[in-house]
């Protein structure tokens, strides 16, 4: 099982961290170790080697079939469920890595840094507010649209991040097409699609809850 992360995929988050609105020339890809995965609402334990760990709320997509060199127009066939996840980032270590031009492996991929909520099947999100619309023979029909999802995170009961997948600089299908040029995607692989603005530090005792549309899928504490 592979965990892929996307950096700098929302304009306002780029401004938040870098002071400017910009779109990377190509998707920024990083990976997390399989030991980074944290699920089933288990607590997140803050590492003692970092002075600041930030939450980064993201839509996470579950890969459901084997694929390599996938064209973007067929990418929707390769995922079957979504959830809200937290890409925990050791911000102090990331800053030092950037200053020295080093990889993000430790600051992004440490144990427990890839939190995922309960999965929501794509079919369960079709036909409602999240559905895209296309004309077929003059009629309007609804179908699931991964780029029309709202998600948000509450920390201690207060909404701290809100995202809309339509604001992604690189959409899910584009990301799958790009990543699959270099990596064979396999059933069970995970794609963290990037975080909107509003990231911030977590502390011992914080209660994090995440929603996809009106579905609460994430609920855990920091220890």
């Amino acid at each position: 099982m592979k965990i892929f992360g996307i950096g700098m995929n929302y304009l306002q988050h780029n401004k938040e961290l870098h002071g400017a609105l910009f779109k990377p020339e190509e998707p920024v890809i990083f990976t997390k170790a399989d030991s980074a995965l944290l699920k089933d609402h288990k607590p997140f334990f803050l590492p003692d080697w970092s002075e600041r760990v930030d939450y980064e709320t993201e839509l996470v997509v579950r890969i459901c079939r084997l694929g390599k060199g996938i064209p973007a127009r067929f990418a929707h066939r390769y995922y079957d469920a979504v959830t809200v996840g937290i890409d925990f980032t050791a911000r102090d270590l990331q800053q030092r890595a950037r200053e020295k031009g080093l990889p993000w492996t430790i600051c992004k991929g440490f144990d427990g840094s890839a939190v995922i909520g309960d999965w929501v099947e794509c079919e369960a999100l079709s036909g409602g507010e999240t559905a895209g619309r296309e004309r077929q023979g003059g009629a309007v029909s609804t179908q699931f649209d991964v780029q029309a999802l709202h998600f948000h995170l509450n920390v201690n009961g207060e909404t701290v991040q809100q995202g809309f997948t339509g604001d992604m600089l690189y959409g899910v299908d584009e990301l799958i097409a790009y990543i699959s040029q270099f990596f064979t995607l396999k059933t069970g692989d995970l794609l963290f699609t990037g975080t909107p603005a509003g990231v911030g530090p977590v502390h011992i005792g914080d209660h994090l809850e995440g929603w996809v549309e009106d579905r609460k899928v994430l609920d855990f504490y920091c220890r």
Side-chain angles (χ1 to χ4, degrees), residues 124-147:
L125 289 168
S126 63
E129 294 181 358
T130 66
R133 293 187 177 272
E134 64 177 20
R135 293 193 175 272
Q136 297 178 345
V140 176
S141 63
T142 59
Q143 63 179 15
F144 172 72
D145 184 357
V146 74
Q147 300 305 150

Side-chain angles (χ1 to χ4, degrees), residues 2-6 29-32 58 60 63 179 183-186 189-193:
K2 299 183 290 298
I3 303 173
F4 296 98
I6 308 299
I29 310 296
F30 59 91
T31 60
K32 289 175 175 273
E58 314 196 2
V60 183
I63 301 299
I179 292 170
F183 300 91
T184 298
L185 296 181
K186 297 183 178 182
D189 286 349
L190 305 181
L191 174 59
F192 282 67
T193 57

Side-chain angles (χ1 to χ4, degrees), residues 38 42-47 53 88 110 112 202 220-223:
L38 184 65
K42 294 178 181 178
F44 169 72
F45 290 91
L46 275 76
V53 174
F88 277 122
F110 61 91
V202 289
F220 68 100
Y221 287 84
C222 295
R223 302 300 189 197

